[in-house]
């Protein structure tokens, strides 16, 4: 059966038989992520998802596949470039593609393959290590980190104060800014140069998917609100009527309202926020669609849900302490918070094994 494949120049090549295609993979001409097609297939698909990987290319325990040639190497023999691990032989090509913008990282990432990789290597992290590394990162680039964070935050808050347009900004500005800020710190963790422009990367890559992500989040949260409010709307009149008939006082009804409505709503909102936290960065970094990013984010978060929740609480307390410190402290707390969340993402989805 003859196969066609996409070249690095984004042109179609072939036809070649399956043995020749495997030879191209072994030589590094194509990678496991290269799109391939043959007659009878509805769409082009990555090589690895259609044909799998030959034994020589498949990663063994303790090794990582080079994102360019697909061969497996010990971790210390690979370098990280833009979140992709590449071997020494592939480094010149990878650097050139990165500089020329040929590679949109994660453009051909299969979320199911990424999920399998995370399951195989496991996912764990140390809250202390994340906070320590984040502080060291911000401290080493203090004023640029503060400047980028404050500028992005001022644009975010200011856009939401515009009459009538504030609601639109929630979809067209907020997720893009948040993803961009995390991207700014993520690049620094990967040893790359980060600039002010990186704080706005969410407007350049995955803009529409970021907006769709926020729209889905809002729809589900409002659905949860209504799901909690309807039983309360039915129950409260009954409670009031029963109290009045019994001749009792009813000032406790507002407390009942809070218990019946606000508590489950707040818990539901926080659950969704935590479960889908990784989605904006997955859209920007890995090129995933909104729904695929949300699904993968939820899967990974549920592996360490309570630990991630604890990290969120610690970060929240850090920002609160910054506010209480004459408000000035938050200027330093916010960059550390975004850096910590970016480190959390990299430990989960980076090419290298996460730190224990």
């Amino acid at each position: 059966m003859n196969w066609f494949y996409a070249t690095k120049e984004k042109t179609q090549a072939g036809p070649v038989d399956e043995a020749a295609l495997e030879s191209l993979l072994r030589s590094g001409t194509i990678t496991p992520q290269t799109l391939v097609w043959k007659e009878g297939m509805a769409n082009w698909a990555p090589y690895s998802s259609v044909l799998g990987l030959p034994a020589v290319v498949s990663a063994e325990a303790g090794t990582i596949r080079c994102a360019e040639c697909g061969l497996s190497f010990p971790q210390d023999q690979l370098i990280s470039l833009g979140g992709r691990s590449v071997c020494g032989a592939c480094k010149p090509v990878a650097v050139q593609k990165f500089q020329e913008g040929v590679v949109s990282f994660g453009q051909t990432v299969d979320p199911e393959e990424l999920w399998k990789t995370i399951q195989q290597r496991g996912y764990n992290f140390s809250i202390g290590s994340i906070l320590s590394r984040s502080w060291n990162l911000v401290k080493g680039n203090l004023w640029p980190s503060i400047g980028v964070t404050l500028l992005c935050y001022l644009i975010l808050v200011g856009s939401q104060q515009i009459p009538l347009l504030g609601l639109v900004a929630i979809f067209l500005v907020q997720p893009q800014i948040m993803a961009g800020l995390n991207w700014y710190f993520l690049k620094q963790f990967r040893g790359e140069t980060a600039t002010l422009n990186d704080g706005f990367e969410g407007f350049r890559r995955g803009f529409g998917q970021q907006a769709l992500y926020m729209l889905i989040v809002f729809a589900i949260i409002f659905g949860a609100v209504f799901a909690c409010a309807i039983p309360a709307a039915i129950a409260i009149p009954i409670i009031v009527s029963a109290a009045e008939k019994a001749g009792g006082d009813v000032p406790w009804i507002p407390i009942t309202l809070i218990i019946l409505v606000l508590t489950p709503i707040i818990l539901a909102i926080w659950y969704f926020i935590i479960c889908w936290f990784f989605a904006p960065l997955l859209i920007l970094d890995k090129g995933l669609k909104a729904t695929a990013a949300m699904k993968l984010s939820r899967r990974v978060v549920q592996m360490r849900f309570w630990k991630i929740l604890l990290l969120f609480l610690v970060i929240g307390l850090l920002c609160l302490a910054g506010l209480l410190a004459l408000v000035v402290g938050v200027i330093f707390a916010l960059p550390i918070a975004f850096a910590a969340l970016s480190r959390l993402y990299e430990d989960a989805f980076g090419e290298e094994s996460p730190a224990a």
Side-chain angles (χ1 to χ4, degrees):
M1 179 66 70
N2 289 329
W3 289 85
F4 295 87
Y5 62 93
T7 68
K8 296 176 181 178
E9 291 74 32
K10 298 184 179 180
T11 60
Q12 176 181 307
V16 297
D17 60 26
E18 189 169 322
L21 194 65
E22 181 177 319
S23 178
L24 291 172
L25 178 69
R26 293 179 185 275
S27 67
T29 303
I30 64 174
T31 73
Q33 290 76 40
T34 296
L35 297 178
V36 298
W37 178 86
K38 68 178 179 180
E39 186 177 351
M41 291 177 58
N43 298 297
W44 289 68
Y47 181 105
S48 59
S49 66
V50 178
L51 295 170
L53 294 176
V56 173
V57 182
S58 297
E60 301 174 357
T63 64
I64 299 176
R65 286 196 299 268
C66 170
E68 286 292 329
C69 65
L71 299 177
S72 298
F73 298 87
Q75 182 178 329
D76 59 4
Q77 295 182 18
L78 295 171
I79 62 169
S80 179
L81 180 66
R84 305 163 78 236
S85 291
V86 295
C87 65
C90 294
K91 178 182 177 181
V93 175
V95 170
Q96 182 179 358
K97 289 166 65 176
F98 175 68
Q99 292 174 340
E100 294 176 353
V102 174
V103 175
S104 176
F105 294 116
Q107 189 173 13
T108 59
V109 167
D110 183 342
E112 292 300 322
E113 288 295 323
L114 183 54
W115 168 236
K116 290 178 183 177
T117 299
I118 294 172
Q119 284 182 302
Q120 290 171 359
R121 75 184 184 193
Y123 171 44
N124 199 3
F125 62 90
S126 164
I127 293 178
S129 175
I130 283 182
L131 293 176
S132 174
R133 296 171 74 179
S134 300
W135 163 243
N136 289 331
L137 182 78
V138 172
K139 183 174 63 174
N141 194 35
L142 184 61
W143 295 114
S145 296
I146 290 176
V148 171
T149 302
L150 289 183
L151 177 60
C152 290
Y153 229 78
L154 287 173
I155 292 174
L156 173 61
V157 174
S159 64
Q160 294 178 352
Q161 305 308 312
I162 301 174
L164 300 179
L165 297 179
L167 182 60
V168 178
I170 293 176
F171 303 98
L172 303 184
V173 177
Q174 179 174 325
Q176 292 81 1
I177 287 284
M178 299 296 278
L181 265 176
N182 281 314
W183 176 251
Y184 172 79
F185 291 104
L186 184 62
K187 288 189 67 176
Q188 294 183 63
F189 276 122
R190 291 173 174 176
E192 302 168 20
T193 301
T195 66
L196 175 61
N197 290 335
D198 291 308
F200 302 95
E201 188 70 5
F203 293 98
R204 189 176 73 85
R205 290 211 310 245
F207 177 86
Q209 291 300 316
Q210 301 284 6
L212 177 59
Y213 153 77
M214 187 58 73
L215 182 63
I216 294 173
V217 170
F218 259 68
I220 292 179
I221 287 177
F222 275 113
V225 170
F226 282 116
C228 295
I230 290 174
I234 296 173
I236 289 175
I238 296 175
I239 294 172
V240 172
S241 176
E244 290 177 343
K245 288 181 179 178
D249 200 1
V250 293
W252 48 270
I253 290 180
I255 299 176
T256 304
L257 177 63
I258 292 174
I259 295 174
L260 292 177
V261 182
L262 295 185
T263 301
I265 289 175
I266 292 172
L267 291 176
I269 290 174
W270 271 105
Y271 173 79
F272 292 134
I273 288 174
I274 294 173
C275 278
W276 294 329
F277 161 73
F278 292 128
L281 259 179
L282 284 169
I283 293 171
L284 193 156
D285 181 40
K286 304 297 185 184
L288 299 186
K289 301 295 184 183
T291 52
M294 295 170 73
K295 179 180 179 181
L296 180 58
S297 176
R298 176 183 55 79
R299 283 174 161 180
V300 174
V301 167
Q302 287 182 340
M303 294 176 70
R304 293 288 183 269
F305 180 83
W306 295 109
K307 200 169 184 180
I308 292 176
L309 174 61
L310 179 58
L311 177 61
F312 268 71
L313 291 174
V314 171
I315 291 174
L317 290 174
L318 175 66
C319 293
L320 179 60
L323 283 173
L324 295 177
L326 301 177
V327 185
V328 178
V330 77
I331 296 175
F332 299 92
L334 277 177
I336 297 173
F338 277 101
L341 295 174
S342 300
R343 185 66 249 175
L344 179 67
Y345 170 89
E346 183 67 356
D347 283 351
F349 299 98
E351 292 284 345
E352 300 179 359
S353 299

